[in-house]
Amino acid sequence: MLVAPAMAQPPGYHDLASVDAAVAEFTGVRAGQPGGAIMPVDRRLRLAPCYSPLVASWHGNRQDNVMVRCPDSGGWRLFVATSGNGLQDSAAPPAVTRGEAVTISVAGDGFAVTQTGEAMEAGPLGGWIRVRTSAKGVPIRARIERPGLVVVPID
């Protein structure tokens, strides 16, 4: 006999762990870490099943909330508060400026990939900014490692 984990959603509802995963993928960090969701989504929520991939985007100018939505017809939207807003402290000098050419590094267990890209925001060392790999590329979030180098963490 199989026993479902205590935190699993009842049958007929969307798995809330996938919402947490969508927010973590969008922000680049897990819930509870700087820049990520303040906490995991409340497991008491009962959302209709979503059969399409979830879509995450910033909500508001301050970029301190991520909107996760189900693109299915009649789908739902959920707003998740984040601890870091993607906008950097103006007191810290920028290590990367908007429009600057940067090296984007992605490294994992046994591999590393780098590619040139463009910073879409300015930020200090350790800050999170949006970068893209080409003029038509989809922006991704990366952490500034040093001037000219941003890192996309792989956990």
Coordinates of all heavy atoms in Angstrom, one line a residue, residues 27-114:
T27 N 13.0 33.1 -9.8 CA 13.9 34.0 -9.0 C 15.3 33.5 -9.0 O 16.2 34.3 -8.7 CB 13.4 34.1 -7.5 OG1 13.4 32.8 -6.9 CG2 12.0 34.7 -7.5
G28 N 15.5 32.2 -9.2 CA 16.9 31.7 -9.2 C 17.3 31.2 -7.8 O 18.4 30.7 -7.7
V29 N 16.4 31.2 -6.8 CA 16.8 30.7 -5.5 C 15.5 30.1 -4.8 O 14.4 30.4 -5.2 CB 17.3 31.8 -4.5 CG1 18.7 32.3 -5.0 CG2 16.4 33.0 -4.5
R30 N 15.8 29.2 -3.9 CA 14.7 28.6 -3.2 C 14.0 29.5 -2.2 O 14.6 30.5 -1.7 CB 15.2 27.3 -2.5 CG 15.6 26.2 -3.5 CD 16.1 25.1 -2.7 NE 17.5 25.4 -2.3 CZ 18.4 24.6 -2.0 NH1 18.2 23.3 -2.1 NH2 19.6 25.0 -1.7
A31 N 12.8 29.1 -1.8 CA 12.1 29.8 -0.7 C 12.9 29.9 0.5 O 13.6 28.9 0.9 CB 10.7 29.1 -0.4
G32 N 12.9 31.0 1.2 CA 13.6 31.2 2.4 C 15.0 31.8 2.2 O 15.6 32.2 3.2
Q33 N 15.5 31.8 1.0 CA 16.8 32.4 0.7 C 16.7 33.8 0.2 O 15.6 34.2 -0.3 CB 17.5 31.5 -0.3 CG 17.9 30.1 0.2 CD 18.6 29.4 -0.9 OE1 18.5 29.6 -2.1 NE2 19.4 28.4 -0.4
P34 N 17.7 34.7 0.4 CA 17.6 36.0 -0.1 C 17.3 36.1 -1.6 O 17.9 35.4 -2.4 CB 19.0 36.6 0.2 CG 19.5 35.8 1.3 CD 19.0 34.4 1.1
G35 N 16.3 36.8 -1.9 CA 15.9 37.0 -3.3 C 14.8 36.0 -3.7 O 14.2 36.2 -4.8
G36 N 14.5 35.0 -2.9 CA 13.5 34.0 -3.2 C 12.2 34.3 -2.5 O 12.0 35.3 -1.8
A37 N 11.3 33.4 -2.6 CA 10.0 33.5 -1.9 C 10.3 33.6 -0.4 O 11.2 32.9 0.1 CB 9.1 32.3 -2.2
I38 N 9.5 34.4 0.3 CA 9.7 34.5 1.8 C 9.4 33.1 2.5 O 10.2 32.7 3.4 CB 8.8 35.6 2.4 CG1 9.2 36.9 1.9 CG2 8.8 35.6 3.9 CD1 8.3 38.1 2.2
M39 N 8.4 32.4 2.0 CA 8.1 31.1 2.5 C 7.4 30.3 1.4 O 6.9 30.9 0.5 CB 7.3 31.2 3.8 CG 5.9 31.8 3.6 SD 4.9 32.0 5.1 CE 6.0 32.8 6.2
P40 N 7.3 29.0 1.6 CA 6.6 28.2 0.6 C 5.1 28.6 0.6 O 4.6 29.1 1.6 CB 6.8 26.7 1.1 CG 8.0 26.8 2.0 CD 8.0 28.2 2.6
V41 N 4.4 28.3 -0.5 CA 3.0 28.5 -0.6 C 2.3 27.8 0.4 O 2.6 26.6 0.8 CB 2.5 28.1 -2.0 CG1 1.0 28.2 -2.2 CG2 3.2 28.9 -3.1
D42 N 1.3 28.4 1.0 CA 0.4 27.8 2.1 C -0.2 26.5 1.5 O -1.0 26.6 0.6 CB -0.6 28.8 2.5 CG -1.4 28.4 3.7 OD1 -1.5 27.2 4.0 OD2 -2.0 29.3 4.4
R43 N 0.0 25.4 2.2 CA -0.5 24.1 1.7 C -2.0 23.9 2.0 O -2.5 23.0 1.5 CB 0.3 23.0 2.4 CG 1.8 22.9 2.0 CD 1.9 22.9 0.5 NE 3.3 22.6 0.1 CZ 4.0 23.4 -0.6 NH1 3.6 24.6 -1.0 NH2 5.2 23.1 -1.0
R44 N -2.6 24.9 2.6 CA -4.1 24.8 2.8 C -4.8 25.3 1.5 O -6.0 25.1 1.4 CB -4.5 25.6 4.0 CG -4.0 25.1 5.3 CD -4.3 26.0 6.4 NE -3.5 27.2 6.3 CZ -3.5 28.2 7.1 NH1 -4.2 28.2 8.2 NH2 -2.7 29.3 6.9
L45 N -4.1 25.9 0.6 CA -4.7 26.4 -0.7 C -5.3 25.2 -1.5 O -4.6 24.2 -1.5 CB -3.8 27.2 -1.5 CG -3.4 28.6 -1.0 CD1 -2.3 29.1 -1.9 CD2 -4.6 29.5 -1.1
R46 N -6.4 25.4 -2.1 CA -7.0 24.4 -3.0 C -7.2 25.0 -4.4 O -8.1 25.7 -4.6 CB -8.3 23.9 -2.4 CG -8.2 23.3 -1.0 CD -7.4 22.0 -1.1 NE -7.4 21.4 0.2 CZ -6.3 21.3 1.0 NH1 -5.1 21.7 0.5 NH2 -6.3 20.7 2.1
L47 N -6.2 24.8 -5.2 CA -6.2 25.3 -6.6 C -6.7 24.3 -7.6 O -6.3 23.1 -7.4 CB -4.9 25.8 -7.0 CG -4.3 26.9 -6.1 CD1 -2.8 27.2 -6.5 CD2 -5.1 28.2 -6.2
A48 N -7.4 24.7 -8.6 CA -7.9 23.7 -9.6 C -6.6 23.2 -10.3 O -5.6 23.9 -10.5 CB -8.8 24.5 -10.6
P49 N -6.7 22.0 -10.8 CA -5.5 21.4 -11.5 C -5.2 22.3 -12.8 O -6.0 22.8 -13.4 CB -6.0 20.1 -12.0 CG -7.1 19.7 -11.1 CD -7.8 21.0 -10.8
C50 N -3.9 22.4 -13.0 CA -3.4 23.2 -14.2 C -2.7 22.2 -15.1 O -1.7 21.5 -14.6 CB -2.5 24.3 -13.8 SG -2.0 25.4 -15.2
Y51 N -3.1 22.1 -16.3 CA -2.5 21.1 -17.2 C -1.5 21.7 -18.1 O -0.8 20.9 -18.8 CB -3.7 20.4 -18.0 CG -4.7 19.8 -17.1 CD1 -5.9 20.3 -16.9 CD2 -4.3 18.6 -16.5 CE1 -6.8 19.7 -16.0 CE2 -5.2 18.0 -15.6 CZ -6.4 18.5 -15.4 OH -7.3 18.0 -14.5
S52 N -1.3 23.0 -18.1 CA -0.3 23.7 -18.9 C 0.9 24.1 -18.0 O 0.7 24.1 -16.8 CB -0.8 24.9 -19.5 OG -1.9 24.6 -20.4
P53 N 2.1 24.3 -18.5 CA 3.2 24.8 -17.7 C 2.8 26.1 -17.0 O 2.2 27.0 -17.6 CB 4.3 25.0 -18.6 CG 4.0 24.1 -19.8 CD 2.5 24.1 -19.9
L54 N 3.2 26.3 -15.7 CA 2.9 27.5 -15.0 C 3.7 28.6 -15.6 O 4.9 28.4 -16.0 CB 3.2 27.3 -13.5 CG 2.4 26.3 -12.8 CD1 2.8 26.1 -11.4 CD2 0.9 26.6 -12.9
V55 N 3.2 29.9 -15.5 CA 3.9 31.0 -16.0 C 4.2 32.0 -14.8 O 3.3 32.3 -14.1 CB 3.1 31.8 -17.1 CG1 3.8 33.0 -17.5 CG2 2.7 30.9 -18.2
A56 N 5.5 32.4 -14.6 CA 5.8 33.3 -13.5 C 6.3 34.6 -14.1 O 7.0 34.6 -15.1 CB 6.9 32.6 -12.7
S57 N 6.0 35.7 -13.4 CA 6.4 37.0 -13.8 C 6.4 37.9 -12.6 O 5.8 37.6 -11.6 CB 5.5 37.6 -14.9 OG 4.2 37.7 -14.4
W58 N 7.2 39.0 -12.7 CA 7.1 40.0 -11.6 C 5.8 40.7 -11.6 O 5.2 40.9 -12.6 CB 8.2 41.0 -11.8 CG 9.6 40.5 -11.5 CD1 10.6 40.5 -12.4 CD2 10.1 40.0 -10.3 NE1 11.7 39.9 -11.8 CE2 11.5 39.7 -10.5 CE3 9.6 39.8 -9.0 CZ2 12.3 39.1 -9.5 CZ3 10.4 39.3 -8.0 CH2 11.7 39.0 -8.3
H59 N 5.3 41.0 -10.4 CA 4.1 41.8 -10.2 C 4.4 43.1 -9.5 O 5.0 43.1 -8.4 CB 3.1 41.0 -9.4 CG 1.8 41.8 -9.1 ND1 0.9 42.0 -10.1 CD2 1.4 42.4 -8.0 CE1 -0.1 42.7 -9.6 NE2 0.2 43.0 -8.4
G60 N 4.2 44.2 -10.2 CA 4.5 45.5 -9.6 C 5.8 46.0 -10.0 O 6.7 45.3 -10.4
N61 N 6.0 47.3 -9.8 CA 7.3 48.0 -10.1 C 8.4 47.7 -9.2 O 9.6 47.7 -9.5 CB 7.1 49.5 -10.2 CG 6.2 49.9 -11.4 OD1 6.1 49.2 -12.3 ND2 5.6 51.1 -11.2
R62 N 8.0 47.3 -7.9 CA 9.1 47.1 -6.9 C 9.7 45.7 -7.1 O 10.7 45.4 -6.4 CB 8.5 47.2 -5.5 CG 8.2 48.7 -5.2 CD 7.7 48.9 -3.8 NE 8.5 48.2 -2.9 CZ 8.0 47.9 -1.7 NH1 6.9 48.3 -1.3 NH2 8.8 47.2 -0.8
Q63 N 9.1 44.8 -7.8 CA 9.5 43.5 -8.0 C 9.7 42.7 -6.7 O 10.8 42.1 -6.5 CB 10.8 43.5 -8.9 CG 10.6 44.0 -10.3 CD 11.8 43.9 -11.2 OE1 12.9 43.6 -10.7 NE2 11.6 44.0 -12.4
D64 N 8.8 42.8 -5.8 CA 8.8 42.1 -4.6 C 7.7 41.0 -4.5 O 7.6 40.4 -3.4 CB 8.8 43.1 -3.4 CG 7.5 43.9 -3.4 OD1 6.7 43.8 -4.3 OD2 7.4 44.7 -2.4
N65 N 7.0 40.8 -5.6 CA 6.0 39.7 -5.6 C 6.1 39.1 -7.0 O 6.3 39.7 -8.0 CB 4.6 40.3 -5.5 CG 4.3 40.7 -4.1 OD1 4.0 39.8 -3.3 ND2 4.4 42.0 -3.8
V66 N 6.0 37.7 -7.0 CA 6.0 37.0 -8.2 C 4.6 36.5 -8.4 O 3.9 36.0 -7.5 CB 6.9 35.8 -8.2 CG1 6.8 34.9 -9.4 CG2 8.4 36.2 -8.0
M67 N 4.1 36.8 -9.6 CA 2.7 36.3 -10.0 C 2.9 34.9 -10.7 O 3.6 34.9 -11.7 CB 2.0 37.2 -10.9 CG 0.6 36.7 -11.3 SD -0.4 37.8 -12.3 CE 0.6 37.8 -13.8
V68 N 2.3 33.9 -10.2 CA 2.3 32.6 -10.9 C 0.9 32.4 -11.4 O -0.1 32.5 -10.6 CB 2.7 31.5 -9.9 CG1 2.7 30.1 -10.6 CG2 4.1 31.7 -9.3
R69 N 0.8 32.0 -12.7 CA -0.6 31.8 -13.2 C -0.6 30.6 -14.0 O 0.3 30.1 -14.6 CB -1.0 33.0 -14.0 CG -0.3 33.2 -15.3 CD -0.9 34.4 -16.1 NE -0.2 34.6 -17.3 CZ -0.4 34.0 -18.5 NH1 -1.4 33.2 -18.5 NH2 0.3 34.2 -19.5
C70 N -1.8 30.0 -14.0 CA -2.2 28.9 -14.8 C -2.8 29.4 -16.1 O -3.8 30.0 -16.1 CB -3.2 28.0 -14.1 SG -3.8 26.6 -15.1
P71 N -2.1 29.1 -17.3 CA -2.6 29.7 -18.5 C -3.8 28.9 -19.1 O -4.3 29.3 -20.2 CB -1.4 29.6 -19.5 CG -0.6 28.5 -18.9 CD -0.8 28.5 -17.4
D72 N -4.3 27.9 -18.5 CA -5.4 27.1 -18.9 C -6.6 28.1 -19.0 O -6.7 29.0 -18.2 CB -5.8 25.9 -18.0 CG -4.7 24.8 -18.1 OD1 -3.8 24.9 -19.0 OD2 -4.8 23.9 -17.3
S73 N -7.6 27.7 -19.8 CA -8.9 28.5 -19.9 C -9.5 28.4 -18.5 O -9.6 27.4 -17.9 CB -9.8 27.9 -20.9 OG -11.0 28.6 -20.9
G74 N -9.8 29.6 -17.9 CA -10.4 29.6 -16.6 C -9.4 29.4 -15.5 O -9.7 29.1 -14.3
G75 N -8.1 29.5 -15.8 CA -7.0 29.3 -14.9 C -7.0 30.3 -13.7 O -7.8 31.2 -13.7
W76 N -6.0 30.2 -12.9 CA -5.9 31.0 -11.6 C -4.6 31.7 -11.6 O -3.7 31.5 -12.4 CB -6.0 30.1 -10.4 CG -5.2 28.8 -10.5 CD1 -5.7 27.6 -10.9 CD2 -3.8 28.6 -10.3 NE1 -4.7 26.6 -10.9 CE2 -3.6 27.2 -10.6 CE3 -2.8 29.4 -10.0 CZ2 -2.3 26.7 -10.5 CZ3 -1.5 28.9 -9.9 CH2 -1.3 27.5 -10.1
R77 N -4.5 32.7 -10.7 CA -3.3 33.5 -10.5 C -3.0 33.5 -9.0 O -4.0 33.5 -8.2 CB -3.5 35.0 -10.9 CG -3.6 35.2 -12.4 CD -3.7 36.6 -12.7 NE -4.8 37.3 -12.0 CZ -5.0 38.6 -12.0 NH1 -4.2 39.4 -12.7 NH2 -6.0 39.1 -11.4
L78 N -1.8 33.4 -8.7 CA -1.4 33.4 -7.3 C -0.2 34.4 -7.1 O 0.7 34.4 -8.0 CB -0.9 32.0 -6.9 CG -0.6 31.7 -5.5 CD1 -1.8 31.9 -4.5 CD2 -0.1 30.3 -5.3
F79 N -0.2 35.2 -6.1 CA 0.9 36.1 -5.9 C 1.8 35.7 -4.7 O 1.2 35.4 -3.6 CB 0.3 37.5 -5.6 CG -0.5 38.0 -6.7 CD1 -1.8 37.8 -6.8 CD2 0.2 38.7 -7.8 CE1 -2.6 38.2 -7.9 CE2 -0.6 39.2 -8.9 CZ -1.9 38.9 -8.9
V80 N 3.1 35.6 -4.9 CA 4.0 35.1 -3.9 C 5.0 36.2 -3.5 O 5.7 36.7 -4.4 CB 4.8 33.8 -4.4 CG1 5.7 33.3 -3.4 CG2 3.8 32.7 -4.8
A81 N 5.1 36.5 -2.2 CA 6.0 37.6 -1.8 C 7.4 37.1 -1.8 O 7.7 35.9 -1.4 CB 5.6 38.0 -0.4
T82 N 8.4 37.9 -2.2 CA 9.8 37.5 -2.2 C 10.5 38.4 -1.2 O 10.1 39.5 -0.9 CB 10.4 37.7 -3.6 OG1 10.3 39.0 -4.0 CG2 9.7 36.7 -4.6
S83 N 11.7 37.9 -0.8 CA 12.5 38.7 0.2 C 13.4 39.7 -0.4 O 13.9 40.6 0.2 CB 13.3 37.7 1.1 OG 14.2 37.0 0.3
G84 N 13.7 39.5 -1.7 CA 14.6 40.4 -2.4 C 13.8 40.8 -3.6 O 13.1 40.0 -4.3
N85 N 13.9 42.1 -4.0 CA 13.0 42.6 -5.0 C 13.7 42.7 -6.4 O 13.1 43.3 -7.3 CB 12.4 43.9 -4.6 CG 13.4 45.0 -4.3 OD1 14.6 44.9 -4.7 ND2 13.0 46.1 -3.8
G86 N 14.9 42.3 -6.5 CA 15.6 42.5 -7.8 C 16.0 43.9 -8.1 O 16.8 44.1 -9.0
L87 N 15.6 44.8 -7.3 CA 16.0 46.2 -7.4 C 17.1 46.4 -6.3 O 16.9 46.0 -5.2 CB 14.9 47.2 -7.2 CG 13.7 47.1 -8.2 CD1 12.6 48.0 -7.8 CD2 14.2 47.3 -9.6
Q88 N 18.2 46.9 -6.7 CA 19.4 46.9 -5.8 C 19.4 48.1 -4.9 O 18.9 49.2 -5.2 CB 20.7 46.8 -6.6 CG 20.6 45.6 -7.6 CD 20.4 44.3 -6.9 OE1 20.7 44.1 -5.8 NE2 19.7 43.4 -7.6
D89 N 20.1 48.0 -3.8 CA 20.3 49.1 -2.8 C 21.1 50.2 -3.5 O 22.2 50.0 -4.0 CB 21.0 48.6 -1.6 CG 21.3 49.6 -0.6 OD1 20.8 50.7 -0.7 OD2 22.0 49.3 0.4
S90 N 20.5 51.4 -3.6 CA 21.2 52.5 -4.3 C 22.5 53.0 -3.6 O 23.3 53.7 -4.2 CB 20.2 53.7 -4.4 OG 19.8 54.1 -3.2
A91 N 22.7 52.6 -2.3 CA 23.9 53.0 -1.6 C 25.1 52.2 -2.1 O 26.2 52.7 -2.0 CB 23.7 52.8 -0.1
A92 N 24.9 51.0 -2.5 CA 26.0 50.2 -3.0 C 26.4 50.6 -4.4 O 25.5 50.7 -5.3 CB 25.7 48.7 -2.9
P93 N 27.7 50.7 -4.7 CA 28.1 51.1 -6.1 C 27.8 49.9 -7.0 O 28.0 48.8 -6.7 CB 29.6 51.3 -5.9 CG 30.0 50.6 -4.8 CD 28.8 50.5 -3.8
P94 N 27.3 50.2 -8.2 CA 27.0 49.1 -9.2 C 28.3 48.4 -9.6 O 29.3 49.1 -10.0 CB 26.3 49.8 -10.3 CG 26.7 51.2 -10.2 CD 27.0 51.5 -8.8
A95 N 28.3 47.1 -9.6 CA 29.4 46.3 -10.2 C 29.1 46.1 -11.7 O 30.1 45.8 -12.4 CB 29.5 45.0 -9.4
V96 N 27.9 46.1 -12.0 CA 27.4 45.9 -13.4 C 26.4 47.0 -13.7 O 25.6 47.4 -12.9 CB 26.8 44.5 -13.6 CG1 26.1 44.4 -15.0 CG2 27.8 43.4 -13.4
T97 N 26.5 47.6 -14.9 CA 25.6 48.7 -15.3 C 24.6 48.2 -16.4 O 25.0 47.2 -17.1 CB 26.3 49.9 -15.8 OG1 27.1 49.6 -16.9 CG2 27.2 50.6 -14.7
R98 N 23.5 48.8 -16.5 CA 22.5 48.4 -17.5 C 23.1 48.6 -18.9 O 23.8 49.5 -19.2 CB 21.3 49.3 -17.4 CG 20.2 48.9 -18.4 CD 18.9 49.7 -18.1 NE 17.8 49.2 -18.8 CZ 17.3 49.8 -19.9 NH1 17.8 50.9 -20.3 NH2 16.3 49.2 -20.5
G99 N 22.9 47.6 -19.7 CA 23.4 47.6 -21.1 C 24.9 47.1 -21.2 O 25.4 46.9 -22.4
E100 N 25.5 46.8 -20.1 CA 26.9 46.3 -20.1 C 27.0 44.9 -20.6 O 26.1 44.1 -20.3 CB 27.5 46.4 -18.7 CG 28.9 45.9 -18.6 CD 29.4 46.0 -17.1 OE1 28.8 46.8 -16.3 OE2 30.4 45.3 -16.8
A101 N 28.0 44.6 -21.4 CA 28.3 43.2 -21.8 C 28.8 42.4 -20.6 O 29.7 42.9 -19.9 CB 29.3 43.1 -22.9
V102 N 28.2 41.3 -20.4 CA 28.6 40.4 -19.2 C 28.9 39.0 -19.7 O 28.4 38.6 -20.8 CB 27.6 40.4 -18.1 CG1 27.4 41.8 -17.5 CG2 26.2 39.9 -18.6
T103 N 29.6 38.2 -18.9 CA 29.7 36.8 -19.1 C 28.7 36.1 -18.2 O 28.7 36.4 -17.0 CB 31.1 36.3 -18.8 OG1 32.1 37.0 -19.7 CG2 31.3 34.8 -19.0
I104 N 27.9 35.3 -18.8 CA 26.9 34.5 -18.0 C 27.4 33.1 -17.8 O 27.7 32.5 -18.8 CB 25.5 34.5 -18.8 CG1 25.0 35.9 -19.0 CG2 24.5 33.7 -17.9 CD1 23.8 35.9 -20.0
S105 N 27.5 32.7 -16.5 CA 28.1 31.4 -16.2 C 27.0 30.6 -15.5 O 26.3 31.0 -14.6 CB 29.3 31.6 -15.2 OG 29.7 30.3 -14.8
V106 N 26.9 29.3 -16.0 CA 26.0 28.3 -15.4 C 26.9 27.1 -15.1 O 27.6 26.6 -16.0 CB 24.9 27.9 -16.4 CG1 24.0 26.8 -15.8 CG2 24.1 29.1 -16.8
A107 N 26.9 26.7 -13.9 CA 27.8 25.6 -13.5 C 27.0 24.7 -12.6 O 26.2 25.1 -11.8 CB 29.0 26.1 -12.7
G108 N 27.2 23.4 -12.8 CA 26.6 22.4 -12.0 C 27.6 21.3 -11.6 O 28.8 21.4 -11.9
D109 N 27.1 20.2 -11.1 CA 28.0 19.1 -10.8 C 28.6 18.4 -12.0 O 27.9 17.8 -12.8 CB 27.1 18.0 -10.0 CG 28.0 17.0 -9.3 OD1 29.2 17.3 -9.1 OD2 27.5 15.9 -9.0
G110 N 29.9 18.7 -12.3 CA 30.6 18.2 -13.4 C 30.5 18.9 -14.7 O 31.0 18.4 -15.7
F111 N 29.9 20.1 -14.7 CA 29.9 20.9 -15.9 C 29.9 22.4 -15.6 O 29.5 22.8 -14.6 CB 28.6 20.5 -16.8 CG 27.4 21.1 -16.3 CD1 26.9 22.3 -16.8 CD2 26.6 20.5 -15.3 CE1 25.7 22.9 -16.3 CE2 25.4 21.0 -14.8 CZ 25.0 22.2 -15.3
A112 N 30.3 23.1 -16.6 CA 30.2 24.6 -16.6 C 30.1 25.1 -18.0 O 30.7 24.6 -18.9 CB 31.5 25.1 -16.0
V113 N 29.2 26.1 -18.1 CA 28.9 26.7 -19.4 C 29.0 28.2 -19.3 O 28.4 28.7 -18.3 CB 27.5 26.3 -20.0 CG1 27.2 26.9 -21.3 CG2 27.4 24.8 -20.1
T114 N 29.6 28.9 -20.2 CA 29.6 30.4 -20.2 C 29.2 30.9 -21.5 O 29.4 30.2 -22.6 CB 31.0 31.0 -19.8 OG1 31.9 30.6 -20.8 CG2 31.4 30.6 -18.4

